[in-house]
Amino acid sequence: ISKSTRLLSSGINAEYGNIKQWKCPGGEFIQNLSGHNAILNALALNQDGVLVSGADNGTLHFWDWKTGYNFQRLQSQVQPGSLDSEAGIFAMKFDKSGSRLITCETDKTIKIYREDDTALEEPINWKPDLLRKRY
């Protein structure tokens, strides 16, 4: 739940690989974020409006919370000796600074991801679909 915008995202639902965004407290559906090809297990949101979703197949998708734009995707690497099927993300949370993401994964590891300090902010020419699906 985002405290500033009073929006809620849910990824554990009957619709495979989708994240639904809701307005609280009324429960009005806002948008559907799709792009995962696996069952979602975890969501994390930082104070900069970055929503991260983690799935059974080890994929991490980074979303702009307000627009729903998927700006980055990562594939988690399993530790040596593990099977590829052990790449799933079970849980995740941002640290207090909001710049490091901590994940708990099925290969029995805890991984910490940090922001790339050398990355440049580039303008993105992207607009959300005018016709959003209402469910």
Side-chain angles (χ1 to χ4, degrees):
I1 295 178
S2 170
K3 294 176 185 174
S4 62
T5 59
R6 301 186 75 169
L7 295 177
L8 167 76
S9 284
S10 65
I12 314 303
N13 60 38
E15 203 168 335
Y16 184 76
N18 288 311
I19 302 166
K20 299 203 180 292
Q21 199 173 52
W22 309 90
K23 185 171 179 117
C24 295
E28 176 187 338
F29 175 76
I30 303 296
Q31 65 182 339
N32 192 41
L33 310 177
S34 59
H36 272 287
N37 293 325
I39 297 169
L40 297 175
N41 292 326
L43 297 173
L45 177 67
N46 73 4
Q47 64 267 23
D48 294 330
V50 175
L51 175 70
V52 183
S53 52
D56 266 356
N57 62 359
T59 55
L60 292 167
H61 287 217
F62 294 78
W63 309 84
D64 177 39
W65 169 256
K66 290 182 181 174
T67 65
Y69 177 68
N70 181 212
F71 63 87
Q72 186 176 2
R73 296 176 184 195
L74 290 177
Q75 176 66 47
S76 178
Q77 300 297 315
V78 296
Q79 68 178 351
S82 294
L83 302 172
D84 286 340
S85 62
E86 295 180 320
I89 311 292
F90 274 157
M92 70 175 88
K93 183 167 178 62
F94 280 99
D95 70 346
K96 287 188 177 188
S97 72
S99 63
R100 289 183 292 271
L101 179 69
I102 303 163
T103 62
C104 302
E105 305 187 12
T106 55
D107 63 354
K108 302 175 189 79
T109 59
I110 295 173
K111 296 179 182 153
I112 301 174
Y113 298 87
R114 65 179 172 87
E115 281 185 66
D116 183 358
D117 295 331
T118 62
L120 299 174
E121 191 171 324
E122 296 181 18
I124 298 171
N125 188 15
W126 180 83
K127 294 180 182 172
D129 294 333
L130 294 177
L131 300 174
R132 292 187 177 166
K133 294 180 184 177
R134 300 284 179 181
Y135 296 94

